Amino acid sequence: MLGFSQVGAESEWRTANTQSIKDAAAKEGITLKFSDAQQKQENQIKAIRSFIAQRVDVIAFSPVVETGWEPVLREAKRAGIPVVLTDRSVSVKDESLWVSFLGSDFVEEGRRAAKWLVDYAPVKELAAKGEVNIVELQGTVGSAPAIDRKKGFEEILKNQPKFKIIRSQTGDFTRAKGKEVMEAFLKAEGKKINVLYAHNDDMAIGAIQAIEEAGLKPGKDIVIVSIDAVKGAFEAMIAGKLNCSVECSPLLGPQLMSIVKDVVAGKPVPRRIVTEEGVFPQETAAKEFPNRKY
Ligand code: AHR
């Protein structure tokens, strides 16, 4: 029996991730106890405690934020239940509290977004003439992807003096918040904004609406790069409204089930499995769209 505590249903990515986990468990004949935390750490802690009480064989979870997990993970360890981290990691001193972490390299995703941006011809032209003003929509405060995607992006830009992040705020990985925060950015900075970097596609899609409502052309007046490469992002790219999406694969179900089976069988499991991912600039979108699985 596998207990899985999911972050929530905040994005297209998350919906695909949930589906992948449910499908893979069914395919492998693994009984899945699934719990949706609605983006709240306290709900995830409750779910993990209930998995311990039910004596599941393995607990897996995608931690909404990085910190604050020691007490509940110690309870799982005391009960002899191995914990597998999927998608997002935790920051704990005692690394024996979890056995394996399966998911993306979020720092690398941030780097890829920035590398694409500095090489994008219209942005290069802007940089040749003056400054490139960037606004950033961050993911959920304290979450691994928000921390790491910011870090990777800034790491590349620190060698690019013309590129300035003029505003940065959380949009909590949702369309509604992405739109709301972009409206505030536009109100404060208006036409000064050259680029939007969104930590996920959903926030970029929300922001696109705000940009259009402000009478500007997303993808042209404001260059947009975001992360995930979900179908919604491909549609926006084909419509010319989004310039690039960096891939973050939610299809973690099959690999997770294989780790769960190995853990139960007492076999050694890799400590870290990094998901393989690509980068999809707008010009590749139409060709790639039919191949997309999420
Ligand atoms: O942890 C992965 C991130 O969480 C995805 O990029 C985002 O869309 C989701 O909400």
Short mmCIF file of all heavy atoms in Angstrom, two decimals, residues 80-116:
data_model
loop_
_atom_site.label_atom_id
_atom_site.label_comp_id
_atom_site.label_asym_id
_atom_site.label_seq_id
_atom_site.Cartn_x
_atom_site.Cartn_y
_atom_site.Cartn_z
N GLY A 80 9.03 2.82 10.88
CA GLY A 80 9.67 1.92 9.92
C GLY A 80 9.10 2.05 8.51
O GLY A 80 9.20 1.10 7.71
N ILE A 81 8.51 3.21 8.19
CA ILE A 81 7.93 3.39 6.84
C ILE A 81 8.85 4.27 5.99
O ILE A 81 9.10 5.44 6.33
CB ILE A 81 6.52 4.03 6.92
CG1 ILE A 81 5.61 3.17 7.82
CG2 ILE A 81 5.91 4.21 5.52
CD1 ILE A 81 4.24 3.77 8.07
N PRO A 82 9.39 3.71 4.90
CA PRO A 82 10.28 4.52 4.05
C PRO A 82 9.52 5.65 3.33
O PRO A 82 8.37 5.47 2.93
CB PRO A 82 10.84 3.51 3.03
CG PRO A 82 10.06 2.26 3.20
CD PRO A 82 9.22 2.35 4.41
N VAL A 83 10.22 6.77 3.14
CA VAL A 83 9.61 7.94 2.49
C VAL A 83 10.34 8.24 1.18
O VAL A 83 11.57 8.34 1.17
CB VAL A 83 9.67 9.17 3.43
CG1 VAL A 83 9.22 10.44 2.70
CG2 VAL A 83 8.81 8.94 4.67
N VAL A 84 9.56 8.41 0.12
CA VAL A 84 10.11 8.78 -1.18
C VAL A 84 9.62 10.19 -1.52
O VAL A 84 8.42 10.47 -1.42
CB VAL A 84 9.65 7.80 -2.28
CG1 VAL A 84 10.18 8.22 -3.65
CG2 VAL A 84 10.08 6.37 -1.96
N LEU A 85 10.55 11.07 -1.90
CA LEU A 85 10.16 12.43 -2.30
C LEU A 85 9.96 12.44 -3.81
O LEU A 85 10.79 11.91 -4.55
CB LEU A 85 11.26 13.42 -1.93
CG LEU A 85 11.72 13.44 -0.48
CD1 LEU A 85 12.93 14.34 -0.31
CD2 LEU A 85 10.58 13.91 0.42
N THR A 86 8.85 13.04 -4.25
CA THR A 86 8.67 13.16 -5.70
C THR A 86 8.46 14.63 -6.04
O THR A 86 7.85 15.36 -5.27
CB THR A 86 7.47 12.35 -6.26
OG1 THR A 86 6.29 13.07 -5.99
CG2 THR A 86 7.37 10.97 -5.69
N ASP A 87 8.96 15.01 -7.17
CA ASP A 87 8.83 16.36 -7.73
C ASP A 87 9.62 17.40 -6.94
O ASP A 87 10.52 18.01 -7.46
CB ASP A 87 7.34 16.72 -7.88
CG ASP A 87 7.09 18.21 -8.02
OD1 ASP A 87 7.89 18.85 -8.70
OD2 ASP A 87 6.08 18.71 -7.48
N ARG A 88 9.28 17.62 -5.66
CA ARG A 88 9.96 18.65 -4.87
C ARG A 88 10.70 18.00 -3.70
O ARG A 88 10.24 17.00 -3.16
CB ARG A 88 8.94 19.64 -4.30
CG ARG A 88 8.15 20.36 -5.36
CD ARG A 88 7.20 21.37 -4.75
NE ARG A 88 6.39 22.00 -5.77
CZ ARG A 88 5.45 22.92 -5.53
NH1 ARG A 88 5.21 23.28 -4.28
NH2 ARG A 88 4.77 23.45 -6.51
N SER A 89 11.78 18.65 -3.29
CA SER A 89 12.58 18.09 -2.19
C SER A 89 12.32 18.83 -0.88
O SER A 89 11.61 19.83 -0.85
CB SER A 89 14.05 18.17 -2.57
OG SER A 89 14.81 17.48 -1.60
N VAL A 90 12.92 18.30 0.19
CA VAL A 90 12.81 18.94 1.51
C VAL A 90 14.22 19.36 1.95
O VAL A 90 15.20 18.83 1.45
CB VAL A 90 12.24 17.96 2.57
CG1 VAL A 90 10.80 17.62 2.26
CG2 VAL A 90 13.09 16.71 2.71
N SER A 91 14.25 20.30 2.89
CA SER A 91 15.53 20.69 3.46
C SER A 91 15.53 20.20 4.90
O SER A 91 14.88 20.78 5.76
CB SER A 91 15.62 22.21 3.36
OG SER A 91 16.62 22.70 4.16
N VAL A 92 16.21 19.06 5.15
CA VAL A 92 16.28 18.50 6.51
C VAL A 92 17.74 18.15 6.82
O VAL A 92 18.50 17.80 5.92
CB VAL A 92 15.41 17.21 6.66
CG1 VAL A 92 13.93 17.52 6.69
CG2 VAL A 92 15.73 16.17 5.59
N LYS A 93 18.11 18.28 8.11
CA LYS A 93 19.51 17.99 8.49
C LYS A 93 19.78 16.50 8.38
O LYS A 93 20.82 16.07 7.89
CB LYS A 93 19.76 18.46 9.91
CG LYS A 93 20.00 19.96 9.98
CD LYS A 93 20.91 20.31 11.17
CE LYS A 93 21.02 21.81 11.32
NZ LYS A 93 19.95 22.39 12.17
N ASP A 94 18.81 15.68 8.86
CA ASP A 94 18.99 14.23 8.88
C ASP A 94 18.51 13.62 7.56
O ASP A 94 17.31 13.43 7.33
CB ASP A 94 18.17 13.67 10.06
CG ASP A 94 18.27 12.15 10.14
OD1 ASP A 94 18.95 11.55 9.27
OD2 ASP A 94 17.65 11.58 11.05
N GLU A 95 19.47 13.36 6.69
CA GLU A 95 19.13 12.89 5.34
C GLU A 95 18.61 11.45 5.33
O GLU A 95 18.12 10.97 4.31
CB GLU A 95 20.36 13.00 4.43
CG GLU A 95 20.87 14.42 4.31
CD GLU A 95 20.61 15.03 2.95
OE1 GLU A 95 21.11 14.48 1.98
OE2 GLU A 95 19.89 16.05 2.87
N SER A 96 18.69 10.78 6.48
CA SER A 96 18.17 9.40 6.53
C SER A 96 16.64 9.40 6.64
O SER A 96 16.02 8.35 6.70
CB SER A 96 18.78 8.64 7.70
OG SER A 96 18.16 9.05 8.91
N LEU A 97 16.04 10.60 6.67
CA LEU A 97 14.58 10.67 6.82
C LEU A 97 13.85 10.35 5.51
O LEU A 97 12.64 10.21 5.50
CB LEU A 97 14.16 12.06 7.34
CG LEU A 97 14.63 12.40 8.77
CD1 LEU A 97 14.23 13.81 9.16
CD2 LEU A 97 14.06 11.40 9.77
N TRP A 98 14.58 10.31 4.40
CA TRP A 98 13.97 9.90 3.13
C TRP A 98 14.94 9.02 2.35
O TRP A 98 16.14 9.11 2.53
CB TRP A 98 13.52 11.11 2.30
CG TRP A 98 14.56 12.16 2.06
CD1 TRP A 98 14.87 13.20 2.88
CD2 TRP A 98 15.45 12.26 0.93
NE1 TRP A 98 15.90 13.95 2.34
CE2 TRP A 98 16.27 13.40 1.14
CE3 TRP A 98 15.63 11.50 -0.23
CZ2 TRP A 98 17.24 13.79 0.23
CZ3 TRP A 98 16.61 11.90 -1.14
CH2 TRP A 98 17.39 13.03 -0.90
N VAL A 99 14.37 8.14 1.51
CA VAL A 99 15.24 7.16 0.84
C VAL A 99 15.59 7.52 -0.60
O VAL A 99 16.64 7.12 -1.12
CB VAL A 99 14.63 5.73 0.87
CG1 VAL A 99 14.56 5.22 2.31
CG2 VAL A 99 13.27 5.65 0.21
N SER A 100 14.68 8.25 -1.26
CA SER A 100 14.93 8.55 -2.67
C SER A 100 14.19 9.83 -3.06
O SER A 100 13.13 10.13 -2.50
CB SER A 100 14.44 7.37 -3.52
OG SER A 100 14.74 7.58 -4.87
N PHE A 101 14.78 10.56 -4.00
CA PHE A 101 14.11 11.78 -4.50
C PHE A 101 14.09 11.73 -6.03
O PHE A 101 15.11 11.75 -6.69
CB PHE A 101 14.83 13.03 -3.99
CG PHE A 101 14.42 14.32 -4.68
CD1 PHE A 101 13.11 14.53 -5.11
CD2 PHE A 101 15.35 15.34 -4.89
CE1 PHE A 101 12.74 15.72 -5.75
CE2 PHE A 101 14.99 16.53 -5.53
CZ PHE A 101 13.68 16.71 -5.96
N LEU A 102 12.86 11.71 -6.56
CA LEU A 102 12.63 11.64 -8.00
C LEU A 102 12.02 12.96 -8.47
O LEU A 102 10.96 13.36 -7.98
CB LEU A 102 11.64 10.49 -8.26
CG LEU A 102 10.87 10.45 -9.57
CD1 LEU A 102 11.82 10.17 -10.73
CD2 LEU A 102 9.78 9.39 -9.52
N GLY A 103 12.69 13.64 -9.37
CA GLY A 103 12.12 14.90 -9.87
C GLY A 103 13.13 15.70 -10.67
O GLY A 103 14.26 15.27 -10.90
N SER A 104 12.68 16.89 -11.08
CA SER A 104 13.48 17.74 -11.97
C SER A 104 14.59 18.46 -11.23
O SER A 104 14.56 18.58 -10.01
CB SER A 104 12.58 18.82 -12.58
OG SER A 104 11.48 18.23 -13.18
N ASP A 105 15.52 19.00 -12.02
CA ASP A 105 16.55 19.90 -11.49
C ASP A 105 16.03 21.32 -11.74
O ASP A 105 16.17 21.87 -12.82
CB ASP A 105 17.87 19.64 -12.22
CG ASP A 105 18.99 20.55 -11.74
OD1 ASP A 105 18.70 21.57 -11.11
OD2 ASP A 105 20.17 20.22 -12.00
N PHE A 106 15.42 21.90 -10.71
CA PHE A 106 14.77 23.20 -10.88
C PHE A 106 15.77 24.34 -11.11
O PHE A 106 15.45 25.32 -11.79
CB PHE A 106 13.93 23.54 -9.64
CG PHE A 106 12.77 22.61 -9.38
CD1 PHE A 106 12.54 22.12 -8.10
CD2 PHE A 106 11.90 22.24 -10.39
CE1 PHE A 106 11.46 21.28 -7.84
CE2 PHE A 106 10.82 21.40 -10.14
CZ PHE A 106 10.61 20.92 -8.86
N VAL A 107 16.97 24.22 -10.54
CA VAL A 107 17.99 25.27 -10.77
C VAL A 107 18.34 25.29 -12.25
O VAL A 107 18.41 26.34 -12.88
CB VAL A 107 19.26 25.03 -9.91
CG1 VAL A 107 20.31 26.09 -10.19
CG2 VAL A 107 18.92 25.00 -8.42
N GLU A 108 18.51 24.10 -12.81
CA GLU A 108 18.85 23.99 -14.24
C GLU A 108 17.73 24.57 -15.10
O GLU A 108 17.99 25.21 -16.12
CB GLU A 108 19.14 22.51 -14.58
CG GLU A 108 19.55 22.24 -16.01
CD GLU A 108 20.75 23.06 -16.50
OE1 GLU A 108 21.59 23.47 -15.70
OE2 GLU A 108 20.80 23.29 -17.73
N GLU A 109 16.47 24.34 -14.70
CA GLU A 109 15.36 24.92 -15.46
C GLU A 109 15.45 26.45 -15.49
O GLU A 109 15.24 27.09 -16.53
CB GLU A 109 14.02 24.48 -14.85
CG GLU A 109 13.73 23.01 -15.07
CD GLU A 109 12.52 22.51 -14.27
OE1 GLU A 109 11.98 23.26 -13.42
OE2 GLU A 109 12.12 21.36 -14.49
N GLY A 110 15.79 27.05 -14.34
CA GLY A 110 15.95 28.51 -14.27
C GLY A 110 17.09 28.98 -15.17
O GLY A 110 16.96 29.98 -15.89
N ARG A 111 18.17 28.20 -15.16
CA ARG A 111 19.32 28.55 -16.03
C ARG A 111 18.89 28.48 -17.50
O ARG A 111 19.24 29.34 -18.30
CB ARG A 111 20.47 27.56 -15.84
CG ARG A 111 21.21 27.69 -14.56
CD ARG A 111 22.45 26.77 -14.61
NE ARG A 111 22.98 26.54 -13.30
CZ ARG A 111 22.97 25.36 -12.67
NH1 ARG A 111 22.48 24.28 -13.25
NH2 ARG A 111 23.45 25.24 -11.45
N ARG A 112 18.16 27.42 -17.83
CA ARG A 112 17.75 27.25 -19.24
C ARG A 112 16.87 28.41 -19.70
O ARG A 112 17.00 28.88 -20.83
CB ARG A 112 17.00 25.93 -19.41
CG ARG A 112 17.94 24.74 -19.37
CD ARG A 112 17.21 23.43 -19.48
NE ARG A 112 18.17 22.34 -19.40
CZ ARG A 112 17.88 21.09 -19.16
NH1 ARG A 112 16.62 20.72 -18.96
NH2 ARG A 112 18.81 20.17 -19.12
N ALA A 113 15.97 28.86 -18.82
CA ALA A 113 15.09 29.99 -19.18
C ALA A 113 15.94 31.23 -19.45
O ALA A 113 15.73 31.94 -20.45
CB ALA A 113 14.09 30.25 -18.05
N ALA A 114 16.92 31.49 -18.59
CA ALA A 114 17.76 32.69 -18.74
C ALA A 114 18.66 32.58 -19.98
O ALA A 114 18.84 33.55 -20.72
CB ALA A 114 18.61 32.89 -17.49
N LYS A 115 19.20 31.38 -20.21
CA LYS A 115 20.08 31.20 -21.38
C LYS A 115 19.31 31.44 -22.67
O LYS A 115 19.79 32.08 -23.59
CB LYS A 115 20.68 29.79 -21.40
CG LYS A 115 21.84 29.63 -20.44
CD LYS A 115 22.43 28.22 -20.56
CE LYS A 115 23.37 27.94 -19.42
NZ LYS A 115 23.57 26.51 -19.20
N TRP A 116 18.07 30.90 -22.71
CA TRP A 116 17.26 31.12 -23.90
C TRP A 116 17.04 32.62 -24.09
O TRP A 116 17.18 33.15 -25.19
CB TRP A 116 15.90 30.39 -23.80
CG TRP A 116 15.03 30.78 -24.94
CD1 TRP A 116 15.02 30.26 -26.20
CD2 TRP A 116 14.10 31.89 -24.96
NE1 TRP A 116 14.14 30.95 -27.01
CE2 TRP A 116 13.57 31.95 -26.27
CE3 TRP A 116 13.69 32.82 -24.00
CZ2 TRP A 116 12.63 32.91 -26.64
CZ3 TRP A 116 12.76 33.77 -24.37
CH2 TRP A 116 12.22 33.82 -25.68
#
